[in-house]
Amino acid sequence: MTAPMLRRLGVPADVSGRRLLASRDGLVVSVLFYLIVSGVLSALWRAAAGEHGEVAGYTALALTWYVFTAEAATCAINVRLIEEVGDEIGSGAVAVEMLRPLPVVAVRLAAEVGRCTARLAVLLGPGATYAWLVAGPPPHAAAAVLALPSLVLAVTANLCLQHALAGSAFWLRDTRAMWFLYQKLVFLLGGMLLPLEVLPGVLRDVAMALPFMAMSYAPARLASGHLEPWLLLVQAGWVVVLAALAGAVFAAGQRRLQVVGG
Amino acid sequence: MGTPDRLGGGPAIEAVGVTKRFRAAGSTGSTSAVDAVHDLTLSVQHGERLAFIGPNGAGKSTSIKMLTGILHPTAGTARVLGLVPWQQRRTLSERTGTLFGQRSQLWFELSPRQSLRMLAAIYGMDRPQETRRVAELGELLDAADLFDVPVRSLSLGQRMRCELAACLLHEPAILFLDEPTIGLDLLAKRRFRELLVTLNEEGGTTVFLTSHDVADIEHVAQRVVVISAGRLIYDDSVPAMRRTMLSTKLVDVGLEHAGASLELDGVSVLEQGDSSARLSVDTTRISIREVLGVVLDVWSVSDISVVDPPLEQVIAEIYAERRS
């Protein structure tokens, strides 16, 4: 992808992000949902850790910041994206987007990254305030700062894989089962519900080797006080791989697109 | 972008033997092949306004999708502005505009102006270019006040004007329009047709139009190509189609008073009242001159005129003739 193309893609990202920020009602619901889910889940983890105890090396404070960050990475995403994009492919609506001089998947990803980054920005303020009030400040300031770019990489990796899977609609026509499975994988193997260190040996190793860890676990691990910059490199690597996969799936799928009639 | 493309002086669109075969799975698990388009050979010159018509399922939309590069043909070759559409789709899209009447290219959650901003960036236009072009289109399409209304709040006619703005933003040399007036009211249709003719006459834009609305053909097209069951069955100018395909003329007669009944071979009386009558004349069996002579002899005529039947009837005759 060339620099001029990236500049052109910046506009869909910017316009979509601004548009999202203008839809106040939707944002209020998103923030409320995020705070309720994160609040309940973090309370459970704090109870499990006890006041001075730990769970898999995470203190109650670390677990609180872990949960709020992991939830932010997931709540920023449209969870039914696979289904929606799949429907547009299955119905042939995607044909209109093929009549533009930039790759369909690149424009879609740019717009979605813009939208999700804007939603993320909105979620983080109330989320950080809540976590600070109930548990205390972030355990490690520098690691918390690194969690910010890590969150953007997390939603980008998530969007890339969702588009790659949605592209299967060029062959399968129906992706509803796929998004259901995908969502659960992100919840469990992505570390959204629990830190991956909680998983037993082999399962933990498998989860750490899969791309889902880049979508929730990585920023949450940083925000929970672990200064591990290599996580950003792993995420960036996954973004490159998953973006290439999404591009390849769409390129192959478009060739076999069957659109009959208007 | 910019002025219409006339690369190499060749035709704007040239298709030779283009075929698209779809495979469909049957209920028993077997597959069958259907030629949606079969051996289509067609040439369209720069600046032409062509109507590409046919009954439902004739292959019109499939042809447009091959000519714009969305679909790959099973056989045959085509060049649009010198490019092979399915191999150079994205390059071609910089010089063509396509409007599908049943599919929107605007983002529903955005206003048209935001959609145009996105499209301008996608087409590589800089901000001053975009501002100038959006203002021009707002004026041309009388749509400037619609550009800030959310797309979902626009009426169909208003939305179609914004769709056309999106289609014209990058100043395409060819416009592919697939049933663009579908669902529009009479006034909106008329306005849309006038716009297409203006764009063609003032900007030299080639217009490739499919429609089921005969008035679109009558008021926009200079040339008609008829496709049926995937095969091209007719290709001529609109006036030539009227001339050559017209075996029937209508004679409207104004009467000073009620006349006797008229019986002539090749003539049917469609309506007859005290003050007027309408005759249908099969010119392959009797000449108009002969009919007029008899009418003037037997009736007291106050007025008489000979008209062509509606284009709709002509097209129906083409379909029926080729089918038989």
Side-chain angles (χ1 to χ4, degrees), chain A residues 69-79 155 158 186-187 192 215-216:
Chain A
T69 310
E71 286 295 332
T74 313
C75 290
I77 302 270
N78 171 6
V79 290
V155 296
N158 196 331
V186 174
F187 286 2
M192 190 203 86
M215 300 169 194
S216 222

Side-chain angles (χ1 to χ4, degrees), chain A:
Chain A
M1 195 169 288
T2 60
M5 191 189 283
L6 281 174
R7 270 199 300 278
R8 286 158 78 177
L9 289 171
V11 174
D14 179 50
V15 172
S16 300
R18 285 174 195 276
R19 176 64 196 158
L20 182 113
L21 294 176
S23 59
R24 302 256 161 82
D25 296 351
L27 283 176
V28 168
V29 173
S30 295
V31 170
L32 282 176
F33 177 79
Y34 164 62
L35 291 179
I36 291 168
V37 172
S38 306
V40 170
L41 202 56
S42 65
L44 286 172
W45 278 114
R46 279 197 303 279
E51 198 175 338
H52 302 292
E54 286 185 355
V55 175
Y58 288 84
T59 61
L61 174 68
L63 282 166
T64 303
W65 282 94
Y66 183 99
V67 168
F68 273 89
T69 310
E71 286 295 332
T74 313
C75 290
I77 302 270
N78 171 6
V79 290
R80 303 192 80 133
L81 194 65
I82 292 177
E83 189 183 17
E84 288 172 10
V85 177
D87 285 348
E88 286 172 28
I89 293 170
S91 69
V94 74
V96 173
E97 297 171 51
M98 291 168 65
L99 297 168
R100 294 172 188 153
L102 290 181
V104 172
V105 75
V107 176
R108 279 184 164 267
L109 276 172
E112 280 298 329
V113 169
R115 198 172 291 133
C116 292
T117 305
R119 194 180 286 118
L120 202 52
V122 172
L123 296 178
L124 284 179
T129 307
Y130 193 133
W132 199 312
L133 288 175
V134 298
H140 193 294
V145 170
L146 284 184
L148 296 175
S150 175
L151 275 166
V152 177
L153 287 169
V155 296
T156 307
N158 196 331
L159 292 167
C160 288
L161 185 52
Q162 288 208 53
H163 274 83
L165 294 173
S168 64
F170 284 112
W171 293 270
L172 302 177
R173 306 276 161 198
D174 189 350
T175 51
R176 270 169 287 190
M178 183 101 61
W179 86 259
F180 188 76
L181 175 65
Y182 177 82
Q183 192 188 31
K184 304 302 172 279
L185 288 172
V186 174
F187 286 2
L188 294 169
L189 299 181
M192 190 203 86
L193 290 176
L194 67 179
L196 295 185
E197 287 77 9
V198 174
L199 296 173
V202 176
L203 192 55
R204 183 181 62 230
D205 294 343
V206 170
M208 290 297 279
L210 292 173
F212 305 109
M213 62 78 73
M215 300 169 194
S216 222
Y217 168 79
R221 174 83 180 159
L222 288 163
S224 61
H226 301 85
L227 188 59
E228 295 167 358
W230 59 269
L231 284 169
L232 289 162
L233 290 176
V234 173
Q235 283 183 290
W238 275 121
V239 166
V240 171
V241 169
L242 297 174
L245 179 67
V249 170
F250 266 68
Q254 283 170 27
R255 203 182 143 69
R256 72 178 307 286
L257 183 71
Q258 294 213 356
V259 193
V260 187

Side-chain angles (χ1 to χ4, degrees), chain A residues 8 19 98 254-255 261, chain B residues 65 72 89 105 109 122:
Chain A
R8 286 158 78 177
R19 176 64 196 158
M98 291 168 65
Q254 283 170 27
R255 203 182 143 69
Chain B
K65 282 166 188 147
H72 291 236
R89 187 185 74 237
Q105 59 188 313
E109 70 276 16
I122 289 168

Side-chain angles (χ1 to χ4, degrees), chain B residues 125-182:
Chain B
M125 297 167 75
D126 59 30
R127 208 59 203 266
Q129 263 183 310
E130 176 205 330
T131 307
R132 174 189 60 80
R133 189 63 181 149
V134 170
E136 277 175 8
L137 290 170
E139 195 174 328
L140 176 71
L141 303 170
D142 191 19
D145 56 337
L146 304 176
F147 286 168
D148 294 308
V149 178
V151 171
R152 62 168 63 86
S153 305
L154 295 172
S155 71
L156 183 59
Q158 291 171 329
R159 184 168 70 74
M160 289 309 285
R161 274 191 277 160
C162 295
E163 295 277 357
L164 193 57
C167 199
L168 295 170
L169 184 67
H170 56 295
E171 301 178 62
I174 302 178
L175 273 181
F176 288 100
L177 306 161
D178 192 6
E179 299 184 37
T181 58
I182 196 162

